[in-house]
Amino acid sequence: MLISVEGLGYTYAPSTPLARTALRGVDLEIRQGERVGILGPTGSGKSTLAQLIAGLLRPTSGHVLLDGVAAHARTADARLRRLKVGMAFQYPEHQIFEQTVPREVAFGPRNLGLNDAEVEARVAWALDIVGLDPVEMADRVPLTLSGGEMRRLALAGILAMRPPVLILDEPTANLDPRGRQELLTRVLTWQAETELTLIVISHNLDDLARLAERVVLLVAGQVAADGPAREVLSDRPLLEDASFDVPPPVALLQALRQSGWAVATNRLLAEEAATEIAQVWSSTGGMV
Amino acid sequence: MSKKQALGNQALESQGARPFIELRALTHAYALEGGGEVRALQGIDLTIERGEFVALVGPNGSGKSTLVRHLNGLLLPTSGQVWVDGLLTAHPSSLWKIRERVGMVFQNPENQFVASTVEEDVAFGPENLGLPPDELRRRVDDALKLVGLTEYATHPPHMLSGGQKQRTAIAGALATRPACIILDEPTSMLDPLGRRRTLETLRSLNQDQGITILLVTQSMDEATAAERMLVMVRGRVVSDGTPAEVFGQGQRLREWGLGLPSALEIADRLRERGLNLPAGLLTVEQLASALC
Ligand SMILES: Nc1ncnc2c1ncn2[C@@H]1O[C@H](COP(=O)(O)OP(=O)(O)OP(=O)(O)O)[C@@H](O)[C@H]1O
Ligand SMILES: Nc1ncnc2c1ncn2[C@@H]1O[C@H](COP(=O)(O)OP(=O)(O)OP(=O)(O)O)[C@@H](O)[C@H]1O
Ligand SMILES: [Mg+2]
Ligand SMILES: [Mg+2]
């Protein structure tokens, strides 16, 4: 599905004293199978943009088109397209309403009209991807889970629908380091197998470095940058202007370069940075 | 005021020489509706002294939030005891005094909002201290400014972005300035500037006013900011030491489902590739200067 965002503006509580313009003049095109990261300071409009793409909000100006049809429209055409967009909210509590964990995960697939066996298989598959133990969780009430467990459950509920477009709003907040790594790896594998469109909002630059090939930077409701992840995430002036730091591996490489190491500085991951440093180190005979 | 002086003054007001927070054989089991239970805390003995800055880490479901909710009497032990400033949380008559001493920022800020505007919400804690109106006003304004929410003062808290909600909850604790502030993953959805400001503020409250800080976090980089680090796994405290000591046991951390701060992670990989580096490089700055 082609997502076209054209001249998009959104204002909350318009013409009231609390009016707040969250987005203005946003243009974006996201093709099927792209992996796009969205980055931006607190309050820059990321979650608002996500909800507009999912058709949950109606633009104040401009358009969001899903294969040419307005995302929020009340037509059968639009509804079919919205079904293809799965979104995990920033606060998992906002999308959890069933009384047990398995029923929560089964809700989406059942709504898609799948039969019992298929629903059961989807539930097992989704719980496994997010690292929740189906036996331990069989009778648990969703709203009594721990913070990280609840985030995992909300993700499982969306994944179980296997939407061709997946929007994840801060998917790794509250996950422990191993859970985070495993989730990123599994989502990436799933993405590659199915060519789904992945739109990820995160403050964690390592998440974006691993998941996204393209990064869109929002500042004050406008697109401040849109380019390859490797370029945007190693652009120190750009990121600092937006109250971000470069990822730690880039910060290290930039510091080394300043003191004379001939290292490339656009290595976003710890393992890439280590490889780069070790290469330069051995090419100089370990004499740096 | 120096940390020592502040500690001295507070010590005069305290109820004797006992540790500020003391957990004795604390267990907590949640009863499940269909029968059965979840044993979230399994016999924890722990003391935290006045003026400490402690980071608490552990995998999802290990009992961190359950533990911290015992420290202001929101949860009561299934067995064992929790003492705060010499007061037993199980005594209903102590609860009010304990909550005056221990401020809490919850993992989900939305569960915490009590008022219909941001500034009223931030004022809720300090109001209960009976401060003079101008002091109250100043504290609220300062706290809002610190977290960058001045222009949202009269907004309803539910009409905020995710990170703005977290900032509101942090501002409430800052404005109240209790003897101890407990924060349960307060920065999980803040941008790096918001994170840095929050940590700097906590550090200065701790250093300058002797306020005890307990910070729950999933960020190993953030945990290095503390003086002392606790690791919980399956309802037990399995490691307790300085961040350098705790992160020094790299392999065990991975077994626990945790990780290393970025600098240690890169240093480990460099050692695998033959570079010789000293131990205990907790920050990127330290690693960079070890390499130069
Ligand atoms: N329900 C709402 N009602 C009114 N204003 C809102 C609402 N939700 C968000 N806003 C405002 O719209 C702007 C953009 O908010 P949005 O939630 O899109 O930001 P964000 O980039 O997702 O931020 P964060 O990183 O903090 O989650 C902010 O100024 C915010 O205060
Ligand atoms: N009200 C409840 N009823 C039943 N079980 C609960 C309840 N609250 C928490 N638990 C369980 O107790 C255990 C500890 O939960 P707790 O919230 O303390 O973990 P945590 O370390 O804070 O995890 P996280 O990192 O995910 O926030 C978990 O297995 C959780 O599912
Ligand atoms: Mg948001
Ligand atoms: Mg928790």
Side-chain angles (χ1 to χ4, degrees):
Chain A
M1 190 160 66
L2 178 69
I3 300 169
S4 322
V5 174
E6 297 169 357
L8 179 63
Y10 190 80
T11 302
Y12 286 99
S15 44
T16 74
L18 294 175
R20 180 71 51 176
T21 295
L23 293 173
R24 53 191 107 214
V26 173
D27 293 307
L28 278 180
E29 197 172 270
I30 299 175
R31 290 183 314 275
Q32 186 62 43
E34 268 197 282
R35 292 183 280 119
V36 182
I38 300 180
L39 176 71
T42 298
S44 57
K46 304 178 296 295
S47 298
T48 306
L49 177 60
Q51 292 172 67
L52 283 156
I53 293 176
L56 301 172
L57 297 175
R58 182 197 185 91
T60 313
S61 59
H63 308 277
V64 177
L65 303 176
L66 304 177
D67 273 343
V69 174
H72 70 275
R74 296 182 155 277
T75 62
D77 238 12
R79 205 165 305 126
L80 276 178
R81 285 168 171 74
R82 276 200 297 275
L83 269 180
K84 295 187 176 170
V85 182
M87 167 153 150
F89 286 81
Q90 185 165 8
Y91 284 105
E93 290 83 353
H94 293 180
Q95 67 190 78
I96 285 176
F97 42 88
E98 284 285 344
Q99 283 308 305
T100 70
V101 167
R103 276 168 58 189
E104 178 64 38
V105 184
F107 181 85
R110 196 149 274 151
N111 255 9
L112 294 177
L114 301 179
N115 68 37
D116 285 357
E118 282 170 317
V119 170
E120 215 170 288
R122 290 279 184 101
V123 170
W125 173 82
L127 287 176
D128 181 58
I129 284 204
V130 301
L132 286 179
D133 182 332
V135 179
E136 250 171 59
M137 290 292 153
D139 299 316
R140 290 294 308 274
V141 179
L143 291 176
T144 68
L145 297 179
S146 78
E149 290 165 346
M150 209 178 315
R151 166 93 43 203
R152 292 170 193 243
L153 173 60
L155 290 167
I158 300 302
L159 286 166
M161 289 189 279
R162 299 197 175 159
V165 176
L166 190 58
I167 308 180
L168 306 176
D169 197 347
E170 299 284 357
T172 67
N174 309 113
L175 291 196
D176 57 54
R178 183 195 293 154
R180 186 181 150 262
Q181 286 293 344
E182 288 177 353
L183 181 83
L184 296 184
T185 311
R186 289 170 184 177
V187 166
L188 263 186
T189 309
W190 174 239
Q191 191 278 337
E193 280 168 20
T194 60
E195 302 228 332
L196 65 88
T197 306
L198 191 57
I199 302 177
V200 180
I201 297 172
S202 182
H203 283 120
N204 184 328
L205 298 190
D206 191 70
D207 286 359
L208 297 183
R210 288 177 197 278
L211 287 181
E213 53 194 348
R214 168 182 171 196
V215 169
V216 175
L217 174 65
L218 279 185
V219 175
Q222 290 179 301
V223 175
D226 180 355
R230 206 179 274 290
E231 281 171 27
V232 176
L233 295 181
S234 59
D235 188 335
R236 183 186 282 259
L238 179 75
L239 292 175
E240 282 182 354
D241 260 3
S243 37
F244 277 80
D245 308 307
V246 291
V250 176
L252 175 66
L253 291 164
Q254 289 180 346
L256 292 180
R257 206 178 161 87
Q258 286 223 317
S259 42
W261 284 66
V263 286
T265 56
N266 61 354
R267 303 292 186 268
L268 306 178
L269 306 178
E271 54 269 29
E272 293 176 344
T275 304
E276 176 70 16
I277 294 167
Q279 248 162 29
V280 171
W281 176 73
S282 51
S283 73
T284 56
M287 292 302 292
V288 190
Chain B
M1 194 165 31
S2 78
K3 185 161 176 174
K4 251 207 179 110
Q5 280 169 331
L7 292 178
N9 289 348
Q10 290 203 352
L12 289 178
E13 293 159 21
S14 91
Q15 320 229 334
R18 308 182 56 150
F20 184 52
I21 290 173
E22 194 174 358
L23 311 186
R24 291 198 201 146
L26 170 62
T27 68
H28 190 88
Y30 293 101
L32 295 179
E33 266 171 40
E37 56 179 27
V38 176
R39 300 180 58 186
L41 301 177
Q42 317 218 33
I44 294 185
D45 292 297
L46 177 71
T47 58
I48 294 176
E49 301 293 341
R50 215 168 258 286
E52 281 197 273
F53 191 137
V54 183
L56 173 58
V57 307
N60 294 142
S62 58
K64 304 178 298 297
S65 298
T66 304
L67 188 152
V68 301
R69 282 189 289 225
H70 278 82
L71 302 182
N72 72 349
L74 216 62
L75 287 177
L76 294 176
T78 306
S79 68
Q81 295 171 333
V82 176
W83 298 83
V84 176
D85 204 11
L87 301 162
L88 190 63
T89 58
H91 280 163
S93 60
S94 303
L95 272 190
W96 177 244
K97 284 186 194 155
I98 288 174
R99 291 194 184 147
E100 241 174 40
R101 288 164 173 70
V102 178
M104 183 94 74
V105 176
F106 291 99
Q107 188 160 6
N108 180 350
E110 295 182 310
N111 297 341
Q112 184 158 7
F113 297 136
V114 292
S116 57
T117 69
V118 167
E119 63 182 359
E120 286 168 19
D121 201 84
V122 173
F124 183 78
E127 237 165 14
N128 287 329
L129 301 176
L131 300 173
D134 53 335
E135 168 72 6
L136 178 65
R137 184 77 252 168
R138 191 163 59 238
R139 284 207 192 179
V140 171
D141 290 346
D142 287 353
L144 285 176
K145 189 158 165 233
L146 208 77
V147 300
L149 282 181
T150 305
E151 60 167 315
Y152 290 88
T154 58
H155 267 244
H158 65 269
M159 289 171 76
L160 293 174
S161 79
Q164 288 164 344
K165 286 175 183 167
Q166 259 182 344
R167 289 175 185 221
T168 304
I170 294 169
L174 298 181
T176 314
R177 283 180 223 161
C180 171
I181 304 182
I182 298 174
L183 307 98
D184 197 350
E185 302 193 35
T187 67
S188 61
M189 286 184 281
L190 297 191
D191 58 34
L193 182 68
R195 267 180 189 232
R196 205 179 319 128
R197 277 213 201 134
T198 303
L199 279 181
E200 277 165 11
T201 307
L202 294 179
R203 209 173 293 134
S204 80
L205 287 175
N206 174 256
Q207 293 285 322
D208 305 340
Q209 302 184 33
I211 290 180
T212 309
I213 308 282
L214 178 58
L215 174 69
V216 181
T217 181
Q218 290 294 358
S219 160
M220 303 297 121
D221 282 323
E222 204 165 277
T224 63
E227 295 167 342
R228 176 179 174 197
M229 194 177 154
L230 302 170
V231 183
M232 281 187 77
V233 176
R234 272 182 244 107
R236 296 199 164 84
V237 174
V238 298
S239 189
D240 179 354
T242 64
E245 288 164 356
V246 172
F247 287 124
Q249 346 164 45
Q251 193 44 43
R252 286 182 77 199
L253 276 145
R254 291 206 184 88
E255 283 160 21
W256 292 327
L258 300 173
L260 293 175
S262 320
L264 276 180
E265 168 100 42
I266 299 174
D268 265 10
R269 291 170 189 274
L270 287 173
R271 286 195 199 94
E272 284 165 15
R273 290 165 171 81
L275 277 81
N276 216 336
L277 288 166
L281 302 167
L282 291 182
T283 64
V284 165
E285 293 73 34
Q286 290 167 357
L287 175 55
S289 50
L291 282 165
C292 292

